[in-house]
Amino acid sequence: MTYANGEVFDGRWRRENRHGTGSLTSINGDVITGLWRNDTLLKQVELQVLPPILPSHKRTDNHPNINESDATQSHLEGLESANAQLRKHVEELQNQIAAKDKVIKKKDEELKKKDEELLSVKTTLQDQVVAKDKVIAEKDDAIEKMQGDTIVKESAIGEKDQLIKEKEEFISKMQGFVVEKDRVIGEKDKLIAEKDDTIVKKGEELASVKSTLQDQVLEKDEAIAEQDEEIASLKAKLKKIGQMTIESDNESSDQEDSDAEEHHPAKRRRTENGFSGSGLTNRATRSRARRVQVKHENIKAGEIKCPDPQCNNIILHDGGCKRLTCTNHQPHYLCFCAHCKMIGEDGSEIIQCDCPNRNTQADRDLAQEMRNQRSRENPEVVE
């Protein structure tokens, strides 16, 4: 391979790198021969320039025209000996090179495995780095959010500090107001002390006046007690006179009533029939029907809901005809079958259905069995 600077490399390659035995010829003709590893020269080997190997010439009788001297013959023998040694040395070098190539091949295989392991480790580390980057990004987002929350909290703290400052100013003003109030209260305490002294004096005067008044009240009480005794005596006398007058009035009233009954027969008849002057006595009370409110329909128990979807009336009916009438509809009532809830055409009371004619428990059970049979025969019909 010829490089851009003019140098020429002749040798073995691996992954576009000089790897193995080779020689590098510079632009001035210098040759560097050695062992390369990953484009790096590990060991330099100097190659000796050997004379050309000439074929051996033996003196035979087949060539009588060749006449050589003994010096030439000895020189040829020396060259043949040197050629044999060189061949042996070349073979040894080739064997060494082959052994080195095997070692290099083995090392290359080990290096390939190491490269594969390194690639696997590199991939794993890259995945870990990606995962770590993702975690770092999430933490960065969390930190940014926390910083935003911190800013908001700092703003709130600033507002609270301002509020605390305003409250402290207000408290300072209130303290001044309290000091003024304390001064006023002190003055008022002095005034109250003076008032207390006045009250004590007034109390002493009042006690003196009270004592005088109590003496006068005792005298008045004694006079009032004497008057009460006189009044009680007079009341007893008046009560006795009143009782005597009431007994006399009752006797005269009974006599007048008996005379009135004898002269008024109609009044006597009303009294005998249970009437009096104040109105009816012994009047019979009317019976009232008890209303029962049912929330849910129970056809089997005779609690049947009106088929009109806008009407929530539930009719309690057990026995009698299958025709039921809902009176919630005006001006005409709604007639329908108690079993299948078929409504009469155009408000007619005649119900055109094949249900039992009665509305007893047995008839309701029979109608339910008929509906179940129709549902089994035609499952699409839901009643």
Side-chain angles (χ1 to χ4, degrees), residues 149-359:
D149 296 338
T150 303
I151 293 172
V152 174
K153 288 182 179 179
E154 289 178 353
S155 177
I157 291 170
E159 294 178 356
K160 288 185 178 180
D161 291 338
Q162 182 65 27
L163 182 61
I164 291 170
K165 185 177 180 180
E166 294 177 357
K167 286 186 177 181
E168 289 176 352
E169 293 177 356
F170 177 75
I171 290 170
S172 177
K173 292 180 181 179
M174 291 298 294
Q175 287 176 350
F177 179 74
V178 168
V179 171
E180 181 65 21
K181 286 288 184 181
D182 290 338
R183 186 185 64 78
V184 174
I185 289 170
E187 295 178 356
K188 293 203 172 187
D189 288 338
K190 293 180 181 178
L191 183 61
I192 288 169
E194 295 176 357
K195 295 273 185 183
D196 289 338
D197 295 337
T198 305
I199 288 170
V200 170
K201 293 179 182 179
K202 293 289 183 180
E204 293 175 354
E205 295 177 358
L206 182 61
S208 176
V209 173
K210 184 178 179 180
S211 177
T212 305
L213 291 175
Q214 284 178 349
D215 295 337
Q216 294 177 0
V217 167
L218 290 175
E219 294 176 358
K220 295 290 183 180
D221 288 339
E222 291 175 357
I224 291 170
E226 293 176 356
Q227 292 178 359
D228 288 340
E229 291 177 357
E230 294 178 359
I231 290 170
S233 177
L234 293 173
K235 284 183 178 180
K237 292 180 181 180
L238 291 173
K239 184 176 181 181
K240 187 176 181 180
I241 295 170
Q243 290 177 353
M244 294 173 62
T245 305
I246 291 169
E247 290 176 356
S248 177
D249 292 339
N250 289 335
E251 291 177 356
S252 60
S253 176
D254 292 338
Q255 185 64 31
E256 290 177 358
D257 291 339
S258 61
D259 294 340
E261 290 177 359
E262 293 177 357
H263 292 87
H264 297 282
K267 184 176 180 181
R268 186 169 61 253
R269 285 196 303 272
R270 287 196 302 271
T271 304
E272 292 174 356
N273 291 332
F275 292 90
S276 66
S278 61
L280 178 64
T281 61
N282 195 21
R283 179 180 296 175
T285 59
R286 295 181 180 180
S287 62
R288 296 183 179 180
R290 184 171 60 90
R291 296 183 178 181
V292 180
Q293 294 183 354
V294 181
K295 294 183 179 180
H296 303 286
E297 181 182 39
N298 189 353
I299 297 177
K300 193 172 183 179
E303 301 170 358
I304 303 168
K305 185 178 179 181
C306 177
D308 187 357
Q310 297 180 355
C311 179
N312 294 323
N313 187 27
I314 293 180
I315 302 168
L316 304 179
H317 187 77
D318 187 13
C321 178
K322 68 178 181 180
R323 184 183 72 246
L324 300 182
T325 304
C326 181
T327 59
N328 277 358
H329 299 269
Q330 299 294 336
H332 302 290
Y333 297 157
L334 181 67
C335 298
F336 61 94
C337 176
H339 302 299
C340 65
K341 294 188 179 181
M342 179 180 285
I343 302 172
E345 296 182 0
D346 299 330
S348 173
E349 297 182 359
I350 300 174
I351 311 299
Q352 300 292 337
C353 66
D354 57 352
C355 297
N357 293 326
R358 305 292 295 171
N359 186 26

Side-chain angles (χ1 to χ4, degrees), residues 46-58:
E46 294 181 359
L47 296 180
Q48 297 178 357
V49 180
L50 300 177
I53 300 173
L54 300 176
S56 62
H57 297 281
K58 294 183 179 180

Side-chain angles (χ1 to χ4, degrees), residues 3-20:
Y3 292 96
N5 58 1
E7 294 180 349
V8 178
F9 177 79
D10 184 12
R12 304 186 66 179
W13 295 83
R14 182 176 180 270
R15 295 181 182 177
E16 298 182 357
N17 292 325
R18 292 171 292 187
H19 193 83

